[in-house]
Amino acid sequence: MKIVVALGGNALLKAGQSGTVEEQYENVETACRQLVQMAQDNELVITHGNGPQVGKILLQNETARDKTPAMPLDICGAMSQGQIGYILQQGLCKEFQRQNVERDVATVITRVQVDRDDPSFQNPTKPIGSFYSREEAEKFKKNSGDTWVEDKARGGWRKVVPSPMPSKIVEEKIIKELVAGGYLVIASGGGGVPVIADEPAGYKGIEAVIDKDLAGELLATIVDADVLMILTDVSEVYLNYGKPDQKKLGTVSVEEMEKYEEEGHFGAGSMGPKVNAAIRFARKKGKTAIITSLENAVKALTENTGTQLKSGV
Ligand code: ADP
Ligand code: MG
């Protein structure tokens, strides 16, 4: 089987960790054990989130801007793809050797094209970077025209950027050729670097964040994967999540899941886009989407655990 695995943020950096390189290597070790086990019998393509990492890169750029020019969000995104791809390459190679599997790993810095008319550009919602005081936020806003919002719960102001739908993976041909050549490919990290078509030629990087699960769905479609596996920190999707009557979802049909999605069971910006990506993928004939935890990844494949979406079930 061909499987696209989308790793959640916690696979690389857990809540409460400061983000040292040692912590990241340690976290990746757990992920790599599962991934290499899956790669024994399956073709794997890996994608991943980058929220905590790109947040730290932005902070480094922000605090050092008097010493060296700060880079825009698209470049910070590309930096995070390189950083996380490298850490995963290191972890995967080590685990492949340990398990006596011969496989080469490649990270593709991936640009993902979005439509310049995407409605999200009129309504930026995705918070990025550090928290600032009202005065600091006002100053940034005046100088740049960016949108800033207050996060009352966490006590501060944050910049928000658009979160457009992915429409095309620019590096599609390269990714497909690497997959066909038997390489384990890491692509579209952090949802890809968002670009729009430039005039008269090429692409222009923009200030936006593409949801990594929706970009993962596009990646799974272009490589013609059988399974889209979204790995996060819960082993199942729940109805009435966090309430006394919460209920785990096992194997469900696309139609059933669409109904639950409409009823609003899934958190916007967390489980919502995962379920949406899973529905989009499993709507296609013969495709399965799985949402489960990293620890449960192998088991989900062998014992059908986790939340599984199949068309016509
Ligand atoms: P990742 O970093 O893997 O993308 P997120 O934190 O964005 O993970 O999304 C996973 C989280 O979604 C879970 O930890 C849980 O708190 C939250 N969540 C929201 N709604 C649900 C639901 N209906 N069922 C399960 N988890 C949900
Ligand atoms: Mg997330």
Side-chain angles (χ1 to χ4, degrees):
M1 274 195 312
K2 198 184 283 171
I3 307 171
V4 167
V5 178
L7 293 173
N10 73 307
L12 304 148
L13 213 60
K14 296 194 196 315
Q17 290 186 327
S18 67
T20 64
V21 69
E22 290 81 12
E23 284 167 346
Q24 298 198 48
Y25 273 120
E26 205 179 297
N27 298 337
V28 145
E29 224 174 276
T30 321
C32 290
R33 266 198 297 275
Q34 295 277 330
L35 294 169
V36 167
Q37 216 173 315
M38 283 195 268
Q40 304 262 17
D41 313 310
N42 302 287
E43 278 179 90
L44 283 197
V45 180
I46 298 172
T47 187
H48 57 81
N50 71 343
Q53 289 82 1
V54 80
K56 287 177 194 303
I57 294 170
L58 283 165
L59 179 62
Q60 286 164 346
N61 273 269
E62 201 53 57
T63 43
R65 71 181 324 140
D66 296 335
K67 298 215 163 69
T68 183
M71 293 296 121
L73 182 59
D74 59 324
I75 295 189
C76 292
M79 286 164 81
S80 76
Q81 286 186 347
Q83 171 188 331
I84 298 166
Y86 165 66
I87 293 176
L88 281 169
Q89 279 172 260
Q90 291 280 74
L92 286 166
C93 284
K94 197 165 149 186
E95 191 59 26
F96 274 130
Q97 273 181 13
R98 233 178 46 81
Q99 297 193 25
N100 279 318
V101 183
E102 215 168 294
R103 190 78 47 91
D104 292 311
V105 186
T107 299
V108 178
I109 300 295
T110 312
R111 294 170 292 173
V112 173
Q113 190 181 352
V114 303
D115 186 349
R116 65 170 76 234
D117 299 325
D118 191 287
S120 74
F121 289 113
Q122 306 305 321
N123 179 30
T125 53
K126 179 82 187 165
I128 57 151
S130 313
F131 289 83
Y132 290 92
S133 69
R134 175 192 291 273
E135 295 71 36
E136 288 168 311
E138 290 290 343
K139 212 167 70 193
F140 283 126
K141 218 159 88 176
K142 240 190 19 233
N143 295 337
S144 63
D146 295 336
T147 310
W148 286 71
V149 295
E150 187 177 15
D151 183 336
K152 285 209 175 83
R154 290 195 275 177
W157 285 72
R158 269 180 113 188
K159 182 169 153 175
V160 285
V161 297
S163 188
M165 283 299 289
S167 65
K168 187 181 110 180
I169 295 180
V170 179
E171 279 71 27
E172 169 168 353
K173 190 161 166 269
I174 299 168
I175 294 169
K176 280 180 174 166
E177 285 190 16
L178 286 170
V179 172
Y183 299 102
L184 196 164
V185 179
I186 301 165
S188 193
V193 180
V195 298
I196 53 173
D198 203 3
E199 300 298 335
Y203 298 93
K204 191 162 75 180
I206 54 162
E207 286 248 320
V209 171
I210 301 171
D211 181 81
K212 73 118 189 355
D213 296 307
L214 294 173
E217 195 278 324
L218 186 57
L219 179 66
T221 303
I222 65 152
V223 301
D224 195 25
D226 307 288
V227 178
L228 169 63
M229 185 177 242
I230 299 175
L231 298 179
T232 181
D233 55 1
V234 286
S235 54
E236 278 91 9
V237 178
Y238 288 83
L239 296 181
N240 301 320
Y241 181 66
K243 298 186 184 139
D245 60 343
Q246 68 174 21
K247 185 173 162 266
K248 272 183 197 175
L249 292 172
T251 298
V252 289
S253 69
V254 171
E255 294 71 26
E256 198 182 339
M257 203 58 148
E258 281 171 335
K259 193 179 88 184
Y260 299 144
E261 189 185 37
E262 246 167 59
E263 290 170 1
H265 285 278
F266 314 120
S270 59
M271 193 48 79
K274 295 181 203 309
V275 167
N276 194 260
I279 289 174
R280 282 167 188 272
F281 189 69
R283 251 190 221 139
K284 291 162 196 143
K285 201 162 166 270
K287 309 283 185 191
T288 301
I290 304 174
I291 303 175
T292 191
S293 62
L294 179 61
E295 293 71 26
N296 196 46
V298 172
K299 204 164 161 226
L301 282 181
T302 53
E303 297 173 35
N304 282 315
T305 60
T307 299
Q308 305 223 357
L309 236 73
K310 291 180 187 173
S311 42
V313 170

